[in-house]
Amino acid sequence: MKPAKKLYVKTYGCQMNVYDSGKMVDLLAPLGYATVDTPGDADMVILNTCHIREKAEEKVFSDLGRIKDAKKDGAIIAVAGCVAQAEGDAIIQRAPFVDIVLGPQTYHRLPEMVARAERARQEKLGKRFRLVDTDFPVEAKFDFLPEATGPQGASAYVSIQEGCDRFCTFCVVPYTRGAEYSRPAKAIIEEAKNLADKGVKEIYLLGQNVNAYHGEGLSGQSEWRLAKLIEQLAQDLPQIERIRYITSHPKDMTQDLIDAHRDIPALMPYLHLPVQSGSNKTLDQMNRQHTREFYFNIIDKLRAARSDLALSSDFIVGFPGETEQDFQDTMDLVAQVRYAQAYSFKYSIRPGTPAGAYEDQIPESVKEERLARLQALIVQLQFEFNQSKVGQTVSALFERTGKKPGQLIGKTPFLQSVYVEANQEVMGTIQSVHVTDGFANSLAGVIV
Ligand code: SAH
Ligand code: SF4
Ligand code: F3S
């Protein structure tokens, strides 16, 4: 057998990129590539990049510099993902040792590009071979993606929707991922079944705006919404004990989906529903297309449908024009919703987005100070939420080992990490855990 060629993949950004990286690995397996953990001795390096904030982008270029120094002679370097889409040729100008630049909608063509790059290496072309492919091709890339072949963990991602038509004024995603596209239900159910057959117990349905899902239904039925898709998955695949979806937009939180949280036991009682700001003025300037009252109303309906639902959100502080009062409105919203978890970011100017050109940008020091206050509140609420589970028995899906010997880490339905002492046999299984302690970021418990 030919020795395997070594492939190093580094993934930045969101779950969609994690999913895409997995698909790229599956696509390159037939060419003889197997993954390794370090770039130093790799025959090929892929950086699957994120463009969402300036820091994410800068990280890619600093990592590229490091890889240039560490890489093996002749290794093929590819930059994929959202920075690739946004920057295209400019990446090669900044980092001339990069061979391949490919956007998120073209990675099904990666094997062909790699084969061409390998040939160019063999023929020792005087000029270095370079390929840039950042089209949004008409053909749906999903039709060209292989089934997952390698071993799967207990939890897996399935991309069901990609792209976004909402154009929030701060966000690059509509430009890097393109227009919204929903995969047909049939393809999604087949992919989920393949994962279930490999022992997967939990799936995350992924989309940039996942609750806007409107794919073709089974046997030529008209478009299905997300609630119907989840219902079908739960019915066809009882082995999948846990279903989650991410990321949702409040405007697409329709009643059928809210009802699904009441009616479908496999649908986990945890929802990431980003609101970004608690100020109506800021929400308007962000083009979020709803008010804080609208958001509160959705939360009330969700909690009426499923009283133990845990909520999480994303927040941006220091959006252009944000006053102390606007920020206080955000703090107030957070305190009212009592999130189980939340992510918060300083506003970052992104090239080509409307808000980047807004006047009254907020000074960095103000952003930092507001972020610190918001995060202190979030940490407090997170701690209180974790504390509220102490003394209860919850289910946990075990996926990782802890740092201490004999320690395993499970995930509760509410996406909390719970530490227990147990032997390896429980890995990949769902167990009942009695929660004995709650901390800021995790729980401790014993399997019952
Ligand atoms: N589709 C998701 C968000 C995807 S981006 C949604 O609609 O909520 C993930 C998060 O990054 C966003 O929720 C937002 O909080 C943050 N983000 C996006 N653009 C940003 C920017 N320019 N500066 C700071 N944070 C940003
Ligand atoms: Fe970005 Fe807004 Fe689309 Fe989310 S809904 S991906 S924040 S444009
Ligand atoms: Fe980043 Fe692209 Fe995801 S910009 S957050 S990797 S969609």
Side-chain angles (χ1 to χ4, degrees), residues 15-20 22-23 26 107 141-142 145-148 152-162 181-197 200-211 213 226 229-230 233 237 240 242-247:
Q15 288 98 338
M16 187 73 80
N17 262 12
V18 175
Y19 175 85
D20 289 352
K23 289 291 174 199
D26 291 338
Y107 63 73
K141 75 169 173 208
F142 287 107
L145 296 183
E147 269 195 351
Q152 294 290 327
S155 186
Y157 294 143
V158 177
S159 176
I160 70 166
Q161 182 272 350
E162 197 173 343
Y181 168 78
S182 293
R183 293 175 73 187
K186 184 165 179 287
I188 295 166
I189 294 167
E190 276 167 14
E191 187 167 331
K193 181 168 187 317
N194 176 44
L195 293 168
D197 291 346
V200 166
K201 298 210 163 49
E202 174 178 74
I203 56 170
Y204 285 78
L205 305 174
L206 300 184
Q208 263 91 34
N209 199 345
V210 72
N211 58 344
Y213 177 82
L226 180 58
L229 178 67
I230 293 171
L233 284 166
L237 302 170
I240 304 282
R242 294 177 160 198
I243 300 175
R244 303 179 184 276
Y245 58 93
I246 192 164
T247 296

Side-chain angles (χ1 to χ4, degrees), residues 14 52-53 164 166 168 170-173 207-209 247-250 272-276 288 314-316 343-350 353:
C14 63
I52 202 81
R53 283 169 291 273
C164 182
R166 286 211 169 269
C168 302
F170 52 81
C171 184
V172 292
V173 171
Q208 263 91 34
N209 199 345
T247 296
S248 296
H249 192 289
H272 184 62
L273 192 62
V275 64
Q276 313 296 354
R288 291 292 291 182
D314 294 339
F315 293 93
I316 295 177
Y343 303 89
S344 46
F345 312 99
K346 287 183 285 181
Y347 170 69
S348 170
I349 293 182
R350 304 314 290 135
T353 58

Side-chain angles (χ1 to χ4, degrees), residues 2-7 24-34 43-44 76 100 108-119 122:
K2 271 206 303 192
K5 289 178 273 188
K6 293 175 182 159
L7 170 65
M24 287 193 270
V25 169
D26 291 338
L27 278 162
L28 291 178
L31 271 66
Y33 284 94
D43 300 287
M44 170 151 184
I76 297 168
I100 294 173
H108 57 295
R109 298 189 196 147
L110 183 62
E112 183 198 321
M113 294 185 216
V114 172
R116 283 171 62 188
E118 286 177 343
R119 232 175 296 132
Q122 280 157 13

Side-chain angles (χ1 to χ4, degrees), residues 5-65:
K5 289 178 273 188
K6 293 175 182 159
L7 170 65
Y8 173 76
V9 183
K10 178 157 181 181
T11 307
Y12 308 76
C14 63
Q15 288 98 338
M16 187 73 80
N17 262 12
V18 175
Y19 175 85
D20 289 352
S21 289
K23 289 291 174 199
M24 287 193 270
V25 169
D26 291 338
L27 278 162
L28 291 178
L31 271 66
Y33 284 94
T35 52
V36 292
D37 295 331
T38 51
D41 58 347
D43 300 287
M44 170 151 184
V45 173
I46 300 176
L47 300 188
N48 195 12
T49 63
C50 174
H51 197 60
I52 202 81
R53 283 169 291 273
E54 196 181 352
K55 261 204 187 128
E57 186 184 356
E58 283 312 313
K59 182 99 181 49
V60 172
F61 285 101
S62 70
D63 284 355
L64 266 176

